[in-house]
Amino acid sequence: MRPFLITLILAMPLFVCAAFAGGIDTLYYARVEPHVDDTGGYMKGPTVEVIYRIMKEAGNPLSPKALRFMPWGQALALAKTEKGKGIMTLIRTPEREKHFKWVGPIGHVSLGAWARISRHIEIASIQDLYEYRIAVVRHSALDYDFLQEWDSTPERVERVNSPKTQLNMLKEGRVDLVILNAQNVRKLFLLQGLDPDAYEQVWTFVNSDFYLALNRDTDDALVDALQAALDRLKTRRPGQSKSTFQWIYDSYQ
């Protein structure tokens, strides 16, 4: 279990502060390790801790029951249209800007394609990816945002349930490339008994900050309170070697 904060929050009831006419009762997430991870039956990860903290400080505390896994396309649709809903880790793009209210940045993600070094795969443009078999986690942000166009050639894309399955397929030669978060990739390889130095990143899909994205009907006062709480968390206080925000993220390295 990570810092005792998670244990304390598990005892909290699901609660939306009545002070806000437009509060948050549900946050949808996709598994973006190490930021958001629900393996083992409980929520963990630096983004989870940060969100618990700022929601509580802003007067809208949430319990783990308020965090719900949802396929990315469905999560986007629900958070856009249903009051009280939001998404924990959404990249802020011009197309999405008008559909949500934003708090952040709350983390950073770098998604790339990885291959065996011995394969000598060179990717000069995204079109080159069409030549290879790729494994991506089903319903992940990358699956939804970056590979929808591949639906015309589904035999080239293997949608699987976990990074473990991705790496097993890569190890066995059933795919040429896997899409992973570069921030966590070395740990993932080691957990599967693979030598990280035998693999290389051959393409970067996105290297971007992500935000807490909230339904447009969310009370502006709550959005402002959340942003202020996050900004305080990122501020290094006198006597601190780093901010509490940085300490939380570093504790998961």
Side-chain angles (χ1 to χ4, degrees), residues 122-166:
E122 295 185 6
I123 305 296
S125 69
I126 196 167
Q127 285 74 27
D128 292 342
L129 292 170
Y130 283 78
E131 300 176 16
Y132 299 99
R133 298 163 299 164
I134 298 178
V136 62
V137 175
R138 183 181 290 108
H139 300 317
S140 67
L142 188 71
D143 181 16
Y144 184 83
D145 286 337
F146 299 97
L147 295 180
Q148 289 301 299
E149 62 188 290
W150 288 60
D151 284 346
S152 60
T153 54
E155 70 279 1
R156 288 289 184 178
V157 177
E158 294 283 349
R159 290 179 169 89
V160 301
N161 292 325
S162 70
K164 178 179 179 179
T165 303
Q166 283 179 293

Side-chain angles (χ1 to χ4, degrees), residues 160-250:
V160 301
N161 292 325
S162 70
K164 178 179 179 179
T165 303
Q166 283 179 293
L167 293 180
N168 283 338
M169 294 178 73
L170 184 63
K171 177 183 178 180
E172 295 167 2
R174 290 187 285 152
V175 295
D176 306 302
L177 303 169
V178 293
I179 310 304
L180 297 168
N181 179 7
Q183 296 162 295
N184 199 42
V185 70
R186 189 172 186 85
K187 178 181 177 182
L188 288 173
F189 278 116
L190 290 171
L191 285 173
Q192 298 309 313
L194 302 177
D195 178 7
D197 296 326
Y199 299 85
E200 63 180 342
Q201 185 172 352
V202 297
W203 183 257
T204 298
F205 284 93
V206 63
N207 187 24
S208 181
D209 292 330
F210 57 79
Y211 289 72
L212 177 61
L214 305 174
N215 179 268
R216 291 292 301 174
D217 288 331
T218 305
D219 195 322
D220 286 336
L222 175 57
V223 177
D224 292 343
L226 287 167
Q227 187 65 57
L230 178 61
D231 292 344
R232 287 192 293 272
L233 206 62
K234 291 182 175 182
T235 301
R236 183 167 62 87
R237 298 177 182 177
Q240 286 185 321
S241 60
K242 53 189 173 184
S243 69
T244 301
F245 180 90
Q246 192 61 53
W247 177 85
I248 290 172
Y249 269 83
D250 288 349

